[in-house]
Amino acid sequence: MATILFYLFAGLAIGGAIGVVMSKSPIGSLLFMVTALGAMAGTFVLLEAHFLAAIQIIVYAGAIMVLFLFVIMLLNLGHDYQKDLKGGAFAVLSFGVIGGIAGLMAQQLGSTGLEDGPGGAAIDAAMAEHGAVGAIATELYTTYVVPFEITGILLLVAIVGALVLAKREV
Amino acid sequence: MITEALVLSAILFVIGTFGVLVRRNAIIMFLCIELQLNAVNLSFVAFSRLYGIEGQLFVFFVMTVAAAEAAVGLAIIISIFRHYETVNVDSFNLLKW
């Protein structure tokens, strides 16, 4: 059952990704991207990362994609149907080859490893004890509290930078 | 499941790279960069099944940085659009030698 679901989500994600690249209008690209992100949230659930799946839907497919949509609407690009694909058969062929190599590498990397290593058992135990959010939170607020605080500073800098850049009369 | 997730991640990353190199619309290039970030996130989650919860924590940080990057990048695109009235990257050659 999990395997069938995984292949379903994988097909949706790849289809969405191809749609992002091939779609003519920016709005179409964006909607394909939301599809791909939702499908990837599904694969996160199948890999037992429930909190990340929720964050993926809320932050990525929700907030960030709406930001992109605002910008597309604001710049009035919704009817910008001009074809802007560069390259041709050669580009597709070269990326097919690179993609094949990357896929084979990933498969080798995965098949030397295990179906479920020691990390999986540790995560399952932590999730049984603290819940899906608590398993991440206990690590985040103890061992990794300094990177977490630095992330806060990064977000503040990003807010100020975005305001300064997008303001009229710079 | 881990192997399949790694393969899926590789495929998505390659599609994202393809999009960045082939499309000329700045916003769609940006969307493809987000796709690449997500592909890496997927492989982090897959490796967290092997090596522990740090993989999931790193995904958390990557998402935060991606949100910050999206805000700043879209602000840059807006201010460029004010000057050039287009988002086609072929017409931005101010920094070209």
Side-chain angles (χ1 to χ4, degrees), chain A residues 6 21 23 37 40 47 55-56 60 68 75 84-86 95 115-117 119-120 123-124 144 151 166, chain B residues 1-2 4 18 21-25 30 34 38 48-50 52 54 57 61 63-64 66 76 81-82:
Chain A
F6 182 86
V21 179
S23 173
L37 291 176
M40 283 167 82
L47 289 166
I55 289 291
Q56 173 96 351
Y60 246 117
F68 274 88
L75 303 185
D84 64 348
L85 277 172
K86 266 191 20 173
F95 274 89
E115 260 316 294
D116 220 5
I123 291 175
D124 289 342
Y144 295 96
T151 306
Chain B
M1 188 75 86
I2 295 168
E4 287 94 334
F18 182 65
L21 292 176
V22 161
R23 293 301 294 253
R24 296 290 97 188
N25 186 324
F30 213 47
E34 299 285 330
N38 262 287
S48 83
R49 296 303 296 170
L50 294 179
E54 279 82 4
L57 280 177
F61 289 124
M63 278 184 187
T64 322
I76 290 174
F81 185 82
R82 286 218 188 98

Side-chain angles (χ1 to χ4, degrees), chain A residues 12-57:
Chain A
L12 261 179
I14 292 173
I18 291 174
V20 171
V21 179
M22 292 300 164
S23 173
K24 280 199 195 98
S25 78
I27 299 271
S29 264
L30 196 101
L31 293 178
F32 275 119
M33 185 75 184
V34 172
T35 313
L37 291 176
M40 283 167 82
T43 59
F44 283 4
V45 170
L46 292 176
L47 289 166
E48 306 286 333
H50 301 148
F51 177 65
L52 288 181
I55 289 291
Q56 173 96 351
I57 298 281

Side-chain angles (χ1 to χ4, degrees), chain B residues 5-75:
Chain B
L6 289 175
V7 173
L8 174 62
S9 152
I11 293 170
L12 288 175
F13 189 87
V14 168
I15 295 175
T17 316
F18 182 65
V20 172
L21 292 176
V22 161
R23 293 301 294 253
R24 296 290 97 188
N25 186 324
I27 289 180
I28 293 178
M29 286 171 79
F30 213 47
L31 271 177
C32 292
I33 294 174
E34 299 285 330
L35 194 63
Q36 286 177 301
L37 284 170
N38 262 287
V40 175
N41 279 353
L42 183 58
S43 65
F44 270 128
V45 172
F47 278 125
S48 83
R49 296 303 296 170
L50 294 179
Y51 300 112
I53 202 145
E54 279 82 4
Q56 296 192 14
L57 280 177
F58 212 90
V59 172
F60 187 80
F61 289 124
V62 170
M63 278 184 187
T64 322
V65 174
E69 174 238 331
V72 175
L74 288 172

Side-chain angles (χ1 to χ4, degrees), chain B residues 73-95:
Chain B
L74 288 172
I76 290 174
I77 289 177
I78 288 178
S79 67
I80 286 177
F81 185 82
R82 286 218 188 98
H83 278 277
Y84 292 96
E85 297 285 320
T86 178
V87 289
N88 191 318
V89 291
D90 280 337
S91 44
F92 310 151
N93 49 13
L94 198 64
L95 290 179

